[in-house]
């Protein structure tokens, strides 16, 4: 039997290259798996790349709105803390603290051209003068009505005090957002009804120092937030500032009570309770502890207002030492 060389079959055909069986086999081995004949097989799939671990990217997606509307990294740090992220949690995202994590989130987020105002210890501008004028109004109304001997002087003082000391707060979410406002007005009205118009005038006179103390505390806390590098560091700086503002207001409230002829054991705890209520509402604190303290002050017992003010002060020290309480609304 004669063996035919495959190369000889094509040798005589013009334009046809000789067939190399060994080379064809090697070409077939080098072809990607799954590739079929031209136009009929499945295209070879490129190998998948393993994505590098990026936990910050997932966090950025989860808090995209917060990161995009923030005017500086401090806003993001305060927002993260409000969502329960602490310095210890930040270590899972390969950062030493929440502030460092916030700086990366801010750098990786798109932002509009917004110029953040530098914190000032003495705020100025039309808004600051308008707020000071509104703080002067209760004292003017209460003193004028009391001097004229009007029967409605106590009611006017209560309404003015409740509006000026309590109303400036952030929008509350959930049911009954204004329960704290109504309870504060009830506390002031009950005290003025039991102890006379002089107490209402004393509370009205304390509105101005209360406003100034609250504004100074907010500005000072914001300045300390700018200079902090960790949440614990900010808390250590904010607590003495709050206690100093509270002590200054307590002294001013005592002076206002003396000027109005109101009893000090009643006027000072009540003024302090309303001041802390105003401060906590302004910084977006939870309403439940505030309402509980105000409800306790409604009890017709001399020590009720003192106990309520002391309890609310403890809550304020804990709540207002958080960076999230000082984020821009």
């Amino acid at each position: 039997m004669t063996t035919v060389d495959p190369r000889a079959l094509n040798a005589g055909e013009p334009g046809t290259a000789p067939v190399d069986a060994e080379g064809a086999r090697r070409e077939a081995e080098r072809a990607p798996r799954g590739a079929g004949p031209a136009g009929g097989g499945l295209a070879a799939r490129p190998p998948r790349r393993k994505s590098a671990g990026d936990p910050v990217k997932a966090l950025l997606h989860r808090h995209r709105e917060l990161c995009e509307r923030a005017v500086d990294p401090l806003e993001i740090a305060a927002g993260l803390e409000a969502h329960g992220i602490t310095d210890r949690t930040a270590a899972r995202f390969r950062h030493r603290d929440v502030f460092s994590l916030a700086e990366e989130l801010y750098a990786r987020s798109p932002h509009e051209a917004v110029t953040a105002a530098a914190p000032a210890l003495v705020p100025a501008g039309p808004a600051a003068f308008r707020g000071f004028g509104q703080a002067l109004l209760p004292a003017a109304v209460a003193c004028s009505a009391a001097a004229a001997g009007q029967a409605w002087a106590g009611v006017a003082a209560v309404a003015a005090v409740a509006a000026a000391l309590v109303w400036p707060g952030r929008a509350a979410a959930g049911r009954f957002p204004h329960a704290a406002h109504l309870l504060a007005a009830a506390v002031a009205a009950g005290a003025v009804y039991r102890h006379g118009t002089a107490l209402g005038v004393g509370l009205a006179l304390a509105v101005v120092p209360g406003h100034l103390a609250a504004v100074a505390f907010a500005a000072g806390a914001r300045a300390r937030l700018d200079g902090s590098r960790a949440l614990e560091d900010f808390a250590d700086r904010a607590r003495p500032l709050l206690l100093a503002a509270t002590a200054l207001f307590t002294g001013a409230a005592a002076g206002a009570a003396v000027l109005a002829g109101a009893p000090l054991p009643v006027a000072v705890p009540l003024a302090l309770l309303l001041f802390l209520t105003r401060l906590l509402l302004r910084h977006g604190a939870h309403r439940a502890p505030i309402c509980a303290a105000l409800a306790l002050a409604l009890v017709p017992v001399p020590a009720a207002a003192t106990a309520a003010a002391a309890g609310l002060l403890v809550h304020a020290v804990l709540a207002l030492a958080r960076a999230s309480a000082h984020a821009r609304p």
Side-chain angles (χ1 to χ4, degrees):
M1 185 173 180
T2 305
T3 304
V4 181
D5 189 352
R7 288 175 293 183
L9 295 177
N10 296 330
E13 298 181 6
T16 306
V19 176
D20 188 354
E22 184 65 22
R25 184 181 62 82
R26 291 176 181 175
E27 290 293 335
E29 291 177 353
R30 283 198 297 267
R33 293 184 179 179
L42 297 175
R45 296 181 180 177
R48 292 184 178 179
R49 295 181 179 180
K50 294 183 179 180
S51 59
D54 188 2
V56 179
K57 184 176 181 181
L59 188 66
L60 179 63
H61 178 74
R62 191 182 312 154
H63 301 285
R64 178 182 301 175
E65 183 179 356
L66 168 67
C67 297
E68 290 181 356
R69 66 177 173 83
V71 297
D72 55 30
L74 297 175
E75 296 293 330
I76 299 178
L80 293 178
E81 189 205 32
H83 286 86
I85 297 178
T86 63
D87 290 336
R88 183 175 299 179
T89 312
R92 299 208 306 261
F93 298 95
R94 304 171 185 173
H95 283 271
R96 65 182 180 276
D97 51 43
V98 173
F99 285 79
S100 175
L101 175 61
E103 287 175 352
E104 180 177 351
L105 292 173
Y106 183 80
R108 294 172 62 171
S109 303
H111 300 280
E112 298 179 358
V114 178
T115 303
L121 293 179
V122 182
F129 288 108
R130 184 168 59 250
F132 183 73
Q134 292 173 353
L136 285 173
L137 187 60
V141 171
C143 291
S144 299
Q150 299 294 329
W152 46 267
V155 178
V158 168
V161 167
L165 273 181
V166 178
W167 191 260
R170 293 181 183 175
R175 301 176 62 184
F176 311 113
H178 301 301
H181 303 144
L182 297 175
L183 283 172
V187 169
V192 170
Y193 176 77
R194 291 193 301 270
H195 300 281
T197 305
L199 179 59
V201 175
L203 294 177
L205 290 175
V207 170
V208 174
H211 170 76
L212 295 177
V215 169
F217 169 72
R222 184 70 195 180
R224 282 159 175 76
L225 183 60
D226 290 341
S228 300
R229 293 301 310 167
L231 297 178
E232 290 82 0
D233 182 25
F234 171 74
D236 293 338
R237 295 183 179 192
R239 291 190 188 102
L241 182 64
L242 173 63
L243 294 177
T246 303
L248 288 175
F249 172 77
T250 303
V258 171
L259 288 176
L264 285 177
V266 177
V268 173
L270 189 59
L272 181 59
L273 177 65
L274 294 176
F275 170 71
L276 293 173
T277 299
R278 186 246 191 238
L279 209 58
L280 288 166
L281 291 177
R282 174 62 186 87
H283 291 278
H286 292 294
R287 264 61 175 177
I290 302 173
C291 292
L294 292 171
L296 175 60
L298 285 173
V299 178
V301 176
T306 303
L312 200 58
L313 178 59
V314 173
H315 174 63
V317 169
L318 298 176
L320 299 181
R322 295 172 57 87
S324 55
H326 305 279
R328 293 184 180 92

